Amino acid sequence: MWHRATIKSRKQLSPTVTGLTLKIHETSSPPSATPTNSSFTFLPGQWVDFQPLPTSTSWKPKDSNKTIGGYSITSIPKSLPYIDLAIQSSRHPVAEWVTCHAKVNDLVNLRVGGSFTYATGEKSDASVKATTNDDNVLSNETTTKQRLLFVAGGVGINPLFSMIQQWHVDQRQNDRSPQPRAVLLYSARQEEDLLFVSELNEMVGELNDYFRVVLTTTAPATDYPAGIAALPKNDSVGNPKDSILRNIEYKRGRVDQDMIKDAVRWINMMDNAVLNDERNQEEDDDVIADLVYICGPPGMPEDMQRLLFPSQNDRIRFVQSTDDVHFEKWW
């Protein structure tokens, strides 16, 4: 089902990523059909097909087969009728239009898709596995999960940011014990490429005992522009005392097994006897995450799965089974 939307604001989130806020119209507007009364809904983690209208500013695609782009929603359902997108610059006609030509009040068509999702907040301790049928109707299977690990690479943070915001809202409304815990491991080439850092810092500040964020950069120090310092190699460092982002940890290098092991240990620490009351607490290598969400560039999801399950002969594992690992692949 297509829905008409208006661009309400546009801003640069990084040197290569443009952020859009759109307002969904009350009725849907298929590209070549009569609008129908139908509410726009989505789950955190889903994406939209995004199609500029012919009347939009400077929208003159050279290839008629490339008039639709797909972009993850970075906001949460409670923000409706507004949604946020973060679109990376590329040579694709739609991305090029957004980053170079789109203006406030331009009209677009949107259509929701995707089964890489997190719960909508109706149950504060629940994760939702969502599937779509031929009519794009979501069918949700809800299970209680308490220890969450998110792993993002580059703009793969987009669907995870939506999920994490929803998790954050859920936890602020959650009075149960033990509180669920979550860690985000987020890697980008350079520090300027990291998105939503101030928002993540704020969430960590509010839920310091239950949420942890580790940011990593992979570019060699020699690749940084003059005046921009690379993060120290292999060590976690806090921001300077005068920094407003002091709640976040910083590292250099790709997300590796040591980072994952440290993150999974952390989400098992508080109320450990409750979360793992059926196992020997000294079996440190058996600590696990209930759910892992991964999104990043081609090859990253597979690499992360290999780190989560090193080998059949290795007693170290970080999740119970592959069914607990969910990822979005780019195409």
Side-chain angles (χ1 to χ4, degrees), residues 222-238:
T222 53
D223 287 357
Y224 275 72
I228 299 180
L231 299 176
K233 188 175 181 180
N234 295 330
D235 285 323
S236 176
V237 295

Side-chain angles (χ1 to χ4, degrees), residues 10 53 118 132 134 162 182 184-185 204 231 245 283 310 314 329-330:
R10 181 179 179 277
L53 266 63
Y118 178 75
T132 55
D134 293 338
S162 178
L184 168 64
L185 303 177
V204 174
L231 299 176
L245 304 180
E283 293 181 1
D314 195 328
K329 288 186 177 181
W330 297 353

Side-chain angles (χ1 to χ4, degrees), residues 97-156:
W97 176 77
V98 169
T99 55
C100 298
H101 304 292
K103 293 183 179 179
V104 170
N105 294 325
D106 278 340
L107 298 175
V108 300
N109 286 321
L110 303 175
R111 180 174 58 188
V112 176
S115 58
F116 179 65
T117 63
Y118 178 75
T120 59
E122 294 171 358
K123 291 192 176 182
S124 61
D125 60 348
S127 169
V128 173
K129 295 178 182 178
T131 57
T132 55
N133 60 22
D134 293 338
D135 296 321
N136 200 38
V137 176
L138 288 163
S139 172
N140 300 328
E141 177 189 345
T142 305
T143 54
T144 300
K145 302 295 181 182
Q146 299 189 65
R147 298 162 293 183
L148 306 181
L149 175 62
F150 300 92
V151 186
V155 291

Side-chain angles (χ1 to χ4, degrees), residues 194-249:
L194 294 163
L195 305 177
F196 313 119
V197 175
S198 61
E199 293 92 336
L200 290 167
N201 178 75
E202 205 171 302
M203 283 188 264
V204 174
E206 289 186 26
L207 294 172
N208 191 48
D209 291 334
Y210 308 105
F211 183 42
R212 181 181 173 195
V213 173
V214 180
L215 306 180
T216 79
T217 56
T218 60
T222 53
D223 287 357
Y224 275 72
I228 299 180
L231 299 176
K233 188 175 181 180
N234 295 330
D235 285 323
S236 176
V237 295
N239 271 326
K241 290 183 179 180
D242 60 347
S243 171
I244 63 169
L245 304 180
R246 63 175 64 93
N247 296 320
I248 290 178
E249 300 168 54

